[in-house]
Amino acid sequence: MDVLILSSKEVRGIKKMKAAFNAKGFSKADYLNISKINLVSRGGRTKIVNGGTKVEDYDAVYLRTNLKMAPFVEPLLDELKEEGIYTQFRPGAYYVNSNEGLQVSVLNAKGLPVAKSVVVSDPKIIKDSTEKLNYPIIFKSFKGQTKIQSILIESPRSLRSIAKSIKMDLDVIILREFEEADLLQCAVIGGKVFAIRRRWNGTEIDKLAKGIPYTVSDQERYVAIKAARACSCEIATVKISRGNVTEVMPDINFAVFNQKTGVNLFEVVADYFSRRASGEKVKRVRLKPSLFDRITKRLEGVLNG
């Protein structure tokens, strides 16, 4: 099998990923700067064109690039799917995950637990939402895909004051209830979940590098995998706070996760790619009943029998 790594820069992590693919037994593990690719549409077909590399000759493509490239990456994902080339993202992944408001809607539509959120486009109507949320909340404003502000707001009065102060045109404003609690940052690779617990210290959540390794519960594993897949990712980072999904990112901080968990996630990804590129189907994730639920169900059977 041959795998092509597409990224904007051949940084250290990309070189380690390439080495992991080689160690796994891939015949070829090549790197190509994604800027070298053109998509040419002609006669009802779109072709992936590069001067020397034939992308269609590869069995799999490992993609790692900025979400701002969504307008280019999305047609690329469509063409990879059309050619039968495996990649860790389904079409739609970059559009969904580059738009926080859309991501919240997708997660909610798929039945994933998310913190109560309000998405608006006009600051003038924020006042209608001030009493509908539990404080504190996170206030985020966007112009296109660029985040303009991200502020923790403690009261309805503060929110109204912020809304009145906005002078520029904005595309989206997101108000989300904020959990003053520890954050689980989960690396999802297929059906495996590796987690780091980031402590809430009373004023803010610790940086990832200060986190501690954490073993997820069956419920947390289920939610992390379902959230990644809902956002069209088989490999992703999922953040969870008090059971609610707060963010999905189509990338993993390999350096920190490898150090904190003691597991080489490059090798885990290479193994997963090998199985998926060989035709293995995505396994359905199921939530096993808790011990309490199993005992309750058994007692109900006895009492009703």
Side-chain angles (χ1 to χ4, degrees):
M1 285 186 297
D2 301 335
V3 61
L4 177 65
I5 301 172
L6 290 179
S7 182
S8 302
K9 293 181 180 179
E10 194 174 7
V11 293
R12 183 181 301 177
I14 294 296
K15 292 177 180 178
K16 290 184 177 181
M17 190 73 258
K18 184 177 178 179
F21 282 130
N22 285 323
K24 185 60 187 176
F26 280 82
S27 302
K28 268 197 313 186
D30 296 330
Y31 166 79
L32 179 65
N33 191 306
I34 196 169
S35 66
K36 304 295 184 182
I37 288 179
N38 295 315
L39 298 174
V40 179
S41 298
R42 185 185 299 123
R45 287 294 308 276
T46 298
K47 298 295 291 182
I48 305 171
V49 178
N50 173 267
T53 302
K54 293 184 177 180
V55 178
E56 63 271 20
D57 289 344
Y58 289 85
D59 302 288
V61 168
Y62 177 78
L63 184 62
R64 193 179 188 190
T65 190
N66 198 292
L67 285 171
K68 292 181 179 179
M69 293 191 68
F72 176 80
V73 171
E74 283 299 335
L76 173 62
L77 291 176
D78 285 331
E79 187 57 26
L80 292 174
K81 182 179 179 181
E82 184 72 22
E83 294 285 347
I85 300 170
Y86 172 70
T87 186
Q88 73 266 39
F89 306 122
R90 298 194 308 276
Y94 269 62
Y95 280 143
V96 169
N97 296 303
S98 63
N99 184 322
E100 191 169 336
L102 179 57
Q103 185 183 90
V104 170
S105 297
V106 167
L107 290 168
N108 189 56
K110 293 291 186 179
L112 274 303
V114 294
K116 186 176 181 180
S117 306
V118 175
V119 181
V120 300
S121 58
D122 186 352
K124 295 178 182 178
I125 63 175
I126 288 178
K127 62 182 181 180
D128 297 330
S129 304
T130 55
E131 305 298 338
K132 298 178 182 178
L133 297 165
N134 294 316
Y135 290 78
I137 65 169
I138 292 289
F139 173 101
K140 295 182 180 181
S141 60
F142 298 84
K143 184 69 175 177
Q145 293 183 357
T146 303
K147 185 188 295 181
I148 305 300
Q149 287 178 304
S150 181
I151 308 170
L152 184 65
I153 296 178
E154 300 285 351
S155 68
R157 181 179 179 181
S158 296
L159 178 57
R160 286 191 291 268
S161 177
I162 291 289
K164 287 180 181 179
S165 70
I166 297 173
K167 304 300 180 184
M168 68 181 296
D169 291 332
L170 297 170
D171 292 321
V172 177
I173 296 171
I174 300 174
L175 311 175
R176 177 184 290 178
E177 292 182 357
F178 179 73
E179 297 284 358
E180 295 181 307
D182 292 355
L183 181 74
L184 297 184
Q185 188 150 331
C186 305
V188 178
I189 303 173
K192 295 183 178 180
V193 178
F194 306 87
I196 294 173
R197 186 174 185 173
R198 298 168 58 186
R199 297 283 189 182
W200 169 256
N201 61 22
T203 55
E204 63 181 1
I205 294 171
D206 285 343
K207 300 294 184 183
L208 181 64
K210 291 185 177 181
I212 57 174
Y214 176 85
T215 302
V216 294
S217 66
D218 288 341
Q219 173 70 20
E220 290 161 345
R221 173 182 174 274
Y222 174 81
V223 168
I225 296 172
K226 291 287 285 185
R229 292 182 184 176
C231 294
S232 300
C233 303
E234 294 181 29
I235 296 175
T237 293
V238 177
K239 296 180 181 180
I240 300 173
S241 179
R242 285 187 177 166
N244 289 324
V245 179
T246 63
E247 186 178 8
V248 177
M249 302 181 296
D251 199 4
I252 294 172
N253 188 326
F254 286 93
V256 176
F257 268 92
N258 285 0
Q259 178 191 9
K260 293 291 183 179
T261 65
V263 179
N264 188 329
L265 297 193
F266 293 114
E267 294 177 355
V268 179
V269 169
D271 177 71
Y272 184 71
F273 255 71
S274 176
R275 291 184 282 111
R276 290 288 283 123
S278 298
E280 183 178 299
K281 301 295 183 183
V282 175
K283 294 179 181 178
R284 185 177 179 182
V285 58
R286 297 178 183 274
L287 179 61
K288 297 178 181 178
S290 66
L291 177 61
F292 175 79
D293 289 338
R294 293 198 300 271
I295 292 173
T296 301
K297 190 171 183 179
R298 184 171 297 179
L299 287 173
E300 287 176 349
V302 172
L303 293 173
N304 294 331

